């Protein structure tokens, strides 16, 4: 397995500053670029892949966990916040329904009612996005403190980053649908 930290010459860490990953990538990829004299296409590809993995919280944490030996201690699997998951799903579905209703409204009154409901839903979506932003801040803090030897903990953090990313995308797509 390729160690993406080693490819970029970065220390193994649960938290990596995205700007540091970008800067290190740019520093190294210039000499390896296949269009440059003496360029090395496989090296450039490895550098690009290392940047892609290390710049993404969930991918970086899963990669770091995969570099570690298998843990012999049993750990609780990641347990998502089902209440939050349910609220996100319900609100995203409500937004999709309102967007369809709003676009299909044939009368002025129906459009006005749909628009007012869409405004309330938009407010609720923004409130939930603010809640996810706070979760992101908390998760970032926990990731910064994570031990590189704690494979189960790294896998748990990766699962939480994945959930957070998907949830945030879902709510932003719902906001976009309502604004059309």
């Amino acid at each position: 397995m390729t160690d993406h930290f080693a490819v970029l010459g970065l220390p193994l860490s649960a938290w990596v500053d995205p700007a540091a990953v970008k800067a290190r990538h740019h520093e190294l990829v210039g000499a390896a670029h296949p269009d440059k004299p003496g360029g090395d296409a496989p090296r450039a590809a490895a550098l690009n892949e290392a940047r892609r993995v290390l710049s993404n919280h969930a991918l970086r944490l899963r990669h770091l966990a995969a570099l570690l030996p298998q843990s012999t201690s049993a750990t609780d699997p990641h347990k998502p916040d089902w209440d939050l998951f349910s609220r996100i799903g319900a609100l995203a579905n409500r937004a999709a329904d309102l967007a369809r209703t709003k676009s299909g409204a044939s009368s002025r009154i129906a459009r006005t009612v749909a628009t007012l409901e869409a405004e309330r839903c938009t407010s609720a979506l923004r409130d939930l996005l603010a809640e996810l932003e706070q979760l992101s801040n908390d998760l970032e803090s926990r990731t910064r403190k994570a031990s590189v030897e704690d494979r189960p903990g790294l896998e748990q953090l990766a699962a939480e980053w994945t959930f957070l990313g998907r949830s945030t995308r879902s709510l932003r797509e719902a906001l976009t649908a309502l604004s059309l």
Side-chain angles (χ1 to χ4, degrees), residues 3-6 8-16 20 54 60 64 148:
D3 178 348
H4 295 302
F5 292 94
L8 288 177
L10 296 171
L12 292 177
S13 177
W15 179 262
V16 179
L54 297 182
R60 179 183 57 256
L64 182 57
V148 295

Side-chain angles (χ1 to χ4, degrees), residues 103-153:
S103 69
S106 57
S107 74
R108 185 178 202 171
I109 291 176
R111 278 191 301 277
T112 301
V113 169
T115 299
L116 291 173
E117 287 182 40
E119 287 172 4
R120 284 193 293 276
C121 187
T122 296
S123 177
L125 286 165
R126 288 192 175 126
D127 290 346
L128 201 46
L129 277 168
E131 188 176 334
L132 291 182
E133 182 65 29
Q134 181 58 49
L135 285 174
S136 176
N137 293 338
D138 294 344
L139 192 52
E140 179 180 322
S141 176
R142 288 178 36 225
T143 302
R144 286 178 184 269
K145 296 174 187 172
S147 167
V148 295
E149 290 87 27
D150 180 13
R151 183 179 182 149

